[in-house]
Amino acid sequence: MPDRRKLESGMLVLAVFGALLFVPPLVFVFNQRISHFGIPQIVIYLFVVWALLIAGTALLTHYLPKHVPPDSGDGGG
């Protein structure tokens, strides 16, 4: 099983990379008068990036072990 710290780093990289994929200069590259199956290219780009980020998050969280909080040590009273 992968180390928890590596998976948390992967989540950070995925979030930063996902944010970079949605910056306007990159998104506007796909704002062309091209359509695939009647759908504008920019819509396909945004939907595919969104779906891949969700799939990547689901995959990483699936392998992330459950966090067990440390015992508070109050004696349970």
Side-chain angles (χ1 to χ4, degrees), residues 20-55:
L20 289 175
L21 289 175
F22 282 114
V23 294
L26 183 60
V27 172
F28 288 147
V29 168
F30 295 94
N31 193 12
Q32 306 292 327
R33 302 187 116 234
I34 301 170
S35 62
H36 306 280
F37 305 107
I39 303 170
Q41 185 175 1
I42 190 169
V43 174
I44 293 173
Y45 170 77
L46 291 173
F47 181 74
V48 167
V49 168
W50 173 73
L52 289 175
L53 287 174
I54 290 175

Side-chain angles (χ1 to χ4, degrees), residues 53-71:
L53 287 174
I54 290 175
T57 303
L59 184 68
L60 286 174
T61 55
H62 175 72
Y63 288 111
L64 193 64
K66 300 283 186 215
H67 178 69
V68 179
D71 189 21

